[in-house]
């Protein structure tokens, strides 16, 4: 059996960055955490970690966004219109690729988590999945045939506008869309609605009915893309385990019997929590690096 390549992975988050040197979840050589501060300071700290590592043959980056993933675009590998001060327009992938001269994979952090859960976690063995994170924001990443679903940009399904839960007319908390999914169910949105952090709300608090209903509609939308064979849901808000049966029931109600495939109908196994926990993002970066290496080798073989 061929040994997996050694990859330097970077999960670039809004508050912290995790650098990981690994071949996979069972072969992690080192993990280093760095606070995410100003772009130049953070990138220099990442480079200081990678400079002392040797032997890696690729780099993978799973980044907060929005990010440019279109390889034909002049700003591929950049963070784009993020509200995080100072980071808009930052070239992340290009800078590291030029410094280390190895194949470099780049995508959103939620797609990274999706890849890791598909390769090693709660959706292991399934080539087509979705990963939803519900925390400070709401993001959804999709994998088809073991590859990120790419196009003009990455999906922003956290900002779809759901039909409102009966009797609920709260304006929502998203600065762009008000009562989109993120504006209704993200941690800050729940806190703004109830006046205290989401994790302090008991399981019988009525806010959870609103949250589950919106998330059920998000899962409905994911089902209708025709892609996921399983939806993995993580993030701080989904740590409230009582949410899972409610979201499953809300998705089933929302679909109204339209999709009868057994994979979807068996909602308990269709919507599941992650298996990799906090390692999903960093390990997703390892997958992205491995895929970039694979693509370069394939291109070189074809050219020869």
């Amino acid at each position: 059996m061929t040994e997996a390549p050694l990859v330097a992975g970077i999960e670039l988050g809004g508050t912290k960055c995790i650098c990981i040197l690994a071949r996979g979840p069972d072969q992690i050589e080192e993990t280093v955490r760095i606070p995410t501060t100003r772009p130049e300071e953070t990138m220099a700290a990442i480079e200081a970690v990678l400079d002392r590592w040797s032997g890696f043959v690729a780099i993978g980056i799973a980044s907060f966004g929005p990010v440019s993933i279109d390889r034909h675009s002049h700003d591929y590998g950049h963070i784009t219109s993020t509200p995080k001060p100072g980071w808009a327009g930052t070239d992340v992938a290009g800078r590291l690729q030029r410094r280390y001269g190895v194949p470099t994979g780049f995508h959103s952090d939620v797609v990274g988590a999706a890849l890791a859960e598909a390769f090693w976690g709660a959706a292991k063995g399934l080539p087509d999945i979705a990963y939803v994170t519900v925390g400070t924001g709401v993001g959804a990443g999709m994998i088809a045939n073991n590859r990120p679903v790419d196009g003009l940009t990455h999906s922003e399904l956290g900002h779809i506008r759901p039909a409102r839960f009966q009797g609920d007319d709260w304006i929502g908390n998203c600065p762009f869309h008000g009562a989109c999914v993120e504006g209704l169910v993200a941690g800050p949105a729940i806190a703004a609605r109830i006046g205290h952090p989401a994790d302090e709300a008991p399981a019988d608090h009525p806010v959870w009915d609103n949250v589950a209903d919106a998330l059920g509609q998000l899962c409905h939308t994911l089902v209708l893309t025709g892609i996921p064979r399983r939806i993995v849901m993580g993030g701080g808000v989904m740590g409230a385990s009582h949410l899972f049966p409610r979201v499953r029931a809300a998705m089933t109600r929302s679909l109204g019997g339209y999709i009868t495939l057994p994979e979807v109908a068996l909602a308990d196994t269709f919507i599941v929590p992650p298996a990799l926990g906090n390692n999903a993002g960093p390990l997703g970066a390892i997958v992205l690096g491995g895929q970039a290496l694979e693509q370069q080798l394939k291109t070189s073989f074809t050219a020869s």
Side-chain angles (χ1 to χ4, degrees):
M1 184 175 177
T2 305
E3 187 174 43
L6 185 64
V7 176
I10 300 147
E11 182 190 28
L12 182 56
T15 58
K16 69 178 182 301
C17 172
I18 300 176
C19 299
I20 181 172
L21 184 65
R23 300 180 190 274
D26 301 321
Q27 293 178 287
I28 298 173
E29 297 198 1
E30 187 174 1
T31 301
V32 179
R33 286 170 174 76
I34 297 166
T36 303
T37 55
R38 293 177 289 106
E40 183 56 40
E41 183 178 31
T42 305
M43 293 300 297
I46 291 170
E47 290 167 345
V49 173
L50 269 59
D51 283 350
R52 64 179 179 79
W53 286 349
S54 62
F56 60 86
V57 294
I59 296 171
I61 305 157
S63 175
F64 72 88
V67 294
S68 175
I69 61 164
D70 182 358
R71 289 185 172 275
H72 302 293
S73 173
H74 71 281
D75 64 352
Y76 168 74
H78 289 58
I79 294 172
T80 58
S81 57
T82 179
K84 187 168 178 60
W87 279 88
T90 299
D91 180 6
V92 177
R95 172 172 171 160
L96 295 179
Q97 198 280 327
R98 289 188 294 271
R99 185 180 182 92
Y100 299 102
V102 296
T104 301
F106 180 78
H107 221 295
S108 67
D109 48 2
V110 70
V111 163
L115 283 166
E117 290 290 342
F119 273 65
W120 299 303
K124 183 177 179 180
L126 296 177
D128 316 300
I129 78 153
Y131 183 94
V132 176
T133 182
V134 188
T136 304
V138 177
M142 286 186 289
I143 306 301
N145 196 26
N146 296 311
R147 295 276 176 176
V149 176
D150 282 348
L152 174 65
T153 185
H154 51 86
S155 67
E156 288 285 2
L157 291 171
H159 291 271
I160 64 171
R161 298 177 186 270
R164 299 305 300 274
F165 188 68
Q166 185 175 4
D168 181 33
D169 59 0
W170 186 58
I171 61 171
N173 194 51
C174 173
F176 297 97
H177 313 115
C180 62
V181 172
E182 181 171 293
L184 292 171
V185 311
I190 297 172
R193 183 196 283 255
I194 67 177
H196 53 78
D199 60 7
E200 295 179 11
D204 60 355
H205 195 292
V207 73
W208 297 119
D209 292 330
N210 294 275
V211 169
D213 185 71
L215 289 175
Q217 291 182 65
L218 172 57
C219 291
H220 170 149
T221 301
L222 288 167
V223 168
L224 295 186
T225 67
I227 292 171
R229 300 173 187 273
R230 183 168 295 162
I231 299 173
V232 183
M233 301 190 75
V237 172
M238 295 307 299
S241 59
H242 61 82
L243 258 182
F244 277 91
R246 293 178 176 183
V247 172
R248 293 168 184 140
M251 179 196 72
T252 301
R253 283 195 309 271
S254 184
L255 285 168
Y258 183 64
I259 301 295
T260 58
L261 293 168
E263 292 90 342
V264 178
L266 296 171
D268 287 358
T269 55
F270 185 70
I271 299 176
V272 300
L276 298 174
N278 293 333
N279 269 342
L283 286 171
I286 298 300
V287 179
L288 287 167
Q291 290 187 340
L293 175 64
E294 177 187 328
Q295 184 60 42
Q296 178 167 298
L297 292 174
K298 185 184 300 182
T299 302
S300 299
F301 177 79
T302 303
S304 63

